[in-house]
Amino acid sequence: MRILMVGAGGVGTAITRIAARRSFFEHVVVADYDPTRAEAAVAALGADEQRFTAARLDASDTGAVRAALAEHRCDVLLNATDPRFVLSLFAAALAERAHYLDMAMSLSRPHPSRPYEECGVKLGDEQFARSAEWEAADRLALVGMGVEPGLSDVFARYAADELFDEIEEIGVRDGANLTVEGYDFAPSFSIWTTIEECLNPPVVYEEGRGWFTTAPFSEPEVFDFPEGIGPVECVNVEHEEVLLVPRWLKARRVTFKYGLGDEFIGVLRTLNKLGLDRTEPVTVNGADGKVAVSPRDVVAACLPDPATLGDRMRGKTCAGTWVKGTKDGRPREVYLYHVVDNEWSMREYGSQAVVWQTAVNPVVALELVASGAWHGRGVLGPEALPPQPFLDLLTEYRSPWHMREQ
């Protein structure tokens, strides 16, 4: 397997460190718009690691991505960029007949007149619209294969296969007790993506009604997270699992709730009120005249890079899937989860917990594709594939998952 990985930020760099310990691939080209990031990710692996090379690549340039796939004879494109570049990379992989894997799907667009009641363009709609082309090409586009979405979807499929006869609700619940020393406000993941997820209308699925939207931060609930994290208030957030799970699994309701905390929600609300969450450029005065800048990009530039915060972070992050239903005629409720301690991920890989937890899952998935344990064609979510091989291999990566009866 020869892989073109586009994006050498925190998650991309963590992917290289995890993959370097495995033998399932022949070569990885680490590409980024900023060549110094790609070069740093490769250099950190050491002079003895010859299976990685660095390259400069503009993820928005489909032609350039196609040329890189051809030049390096890559049969897989791994998208480790933010969701803005999904469609260009997705198109390039299809045109070059390469398999494709991402961790976040194509962006949504709210309903023009009823954004908090009806869906407009949903996450991933533009990718699923091309599924027939991927099937015709006999290639796999595995979408949403990070931790959430990704591992959370694998958990949902495992629960449906092994733990329940009927499912009332599948609810992804994400929480952490991470702190960052020296900063009043320092998100542990991309603020660009966080704003996109948290300020867009959240989507909920209900059997008989289909997909619908609610107001941001709706339906607050306190969820008790395991391994010492404890109770965290969680709210509805737009996320891919709600759009993926109902395509393959039968459940009366599907939700995603994120443990943000009052302070984080307050910051996001303020950014929204001031228009600083916007992606459309505004004109400002610069040293050499007027320049156009995206307010959201300015916010991201003003905050520390999450990938650099590992030495200052303390605590754990938990990703998991809560499932409620019946088994053998009796009620059952479980929480399938995966916890990463920042101290462990920094000591073992030099990557902070949130980016490491995201990064390990696409590497596991690629190893399953390389071995043939996972195979398919068309545009598929993680729940379309058998969960047990994934969960077994994740444990082999020294990153076990757990289940708690509620």
Side-chain angles (χ1 to χ4, degrees), residues 366-387:
L366 286 172
E367 183 161 348
L368 292 175
V369 171
S371 72
W374 270 15
H375 57 88
R377 60 179 184 172
V379 180
L380 302 180
E383 52 277 280
L385 299 165

Side-chain angles (χ1 to χ4, degrees), residues 120-380:
V121 176
K122 302 188 298 299
L123 292 169
D125 274 357
E126 291 172 286
Q127 290 175 282
F128 282 111
R130 302 193 67 179
S131 187
E133 296 175 66
W134 283 86
E135 291 180 25
D138 196 25
R139 291 296 181 270
L140 170 65
L142 180 55
V143 298
M145 191 59 254
V147 60
E148 292 171 342
L151 177 58
S152 51
D153 302 76
V154 174
F155 283 151
R157 172 66 186 270
Y158 178 80
D161 285 358
E162 305 292 340
L163 305 178
F164 290 87
D165 297 323
E166 293 185 354
I167 295 177
E168 179 180 331
E169 181 169 351
I170 295 174
V172 179
R173 299 292 184 265
D174 179 297
N177 62 358
L178 294 167
T179 59
V180 182
E181 296 175 359
Y183 289 96
D184 291 330
F185 183 76
S188 58
F189 202 68
S190 162
I191 189 63
W192 200 102
T193 303
T194 302
I195 290 172
E196 184 73 21
E197 292 176 348
C198 295
L199 292 178
N200 276 354
V203 180
V204 175
Y205 173 85
E206 290 183 358
E207 190 176 54
R209 183 176 178 182
W211 288 293
F212 61 94
T213 57
T214 69
F217 316 121
S218 57
E219 298 182 359
E221 68 174 55
V222 175
F223 191 86
D224 188 16
F225 288 92
E227 299 197 22
I229 295 174
V232 179
E233 185 176 79
C234 299
V235 293
N236 279 327
V237 169
E238 180 191 49
H239 230 254
E240 285 91 342
E241 291 94 327
V242 179
L243 289 313
L244 286 169
V245 167
R247 294 177 184 270
W248 286 279
L249 305 180
K250 184 174 176 57
R252 288 195 281 276
R253 196 166 195 262
V254 183
T255 57
F256 180 98
K257 292 189 179 182
Y258 197 5
L260 294 171
D262 290 341
E263 181 186 21
F264 205 145
I265 290 174
V267 169
L268 292 172
R269 288 191 190 279
T270 299
L271 292 175
N272 178 250
K273 286 180 181 179
L274 297 176
L276 295 175
D277 60 322
R278 292 167 50 194
T279 58
E280 302 82 5
V282 297
T283 301
V284 299
N285 293 320
D288 300 317
K290 294 185 181 297
V291 294
V293 296
S294 158
R296 194 186 298 185
D297 287 343
V298 172
V299 171
C302 290
L303 291 171
D305 179 354
T308 67
L309 297 176
D311 290 332
R312 294 172 175 263
M313 287 175 61
R314 301 291 181 271
K316 300 175 181 179
T317 184
C318 178
T321 304
W322 163 74
V323 187
K324 180 180 180 181
T326 59
K327 177 67 173 179
D328 299 327
R330 291 184 293 224
R332 191 177 196 187
E333 197 173 335
V334 303
Y335 183 57
L336 304 158
Y337 66 92
H338 181 254
V339 170
V340 177
D341 187 318
N342 188 74
E343 182 180 350
W344 176 84
S345 64
M346 286 298 298
R347 183 180 66 249
E348 294 292 321
Y349 288 89
S351 296
Q352 56 104 319
V354 177
V355 299
W356 190 92
Q357 189 181 45
T358 303
V360 68
N361 296 285
V363 182
V364 172
L366 286 172
E367 183 161 348
L368 292 175
V369 171
S371 72
W374 270 15
H375 57 88
R377 60 179 184 172
V379 180
L380 302 180

Side-chain angles (χ1 to χ4, degrees), residues 30-96:
V30 181
D32 198 280
Y33 187 79
D34 179 354
T36 61
R37 295 208 307 178
E39 291 161 3
V42 172
L45 301 176
D48 292 338
E49 180 54 82
Q50 300 296 312
R51 295 179 299 161
F52 295 79
T53 54
R56 184 190 181 280
L57 188 61
D58 182 350
S60 67
D61 186 340
T62 299
V65 178
R66 290 189 62 179
L69 285 165
E71 176 188 352
H72 297 286
R73 298 177 290 109
C74 294
D75 47 4
V76 177
L77 191 159
L78 171 56
N79 178 359
T81 64
D82 72 54
R84 288 175 289 182
F85 304 108
V86 162
L87 290 178
S88 58
L89 297 172
F90 183 78
L94 176 60
E96 290 300 312

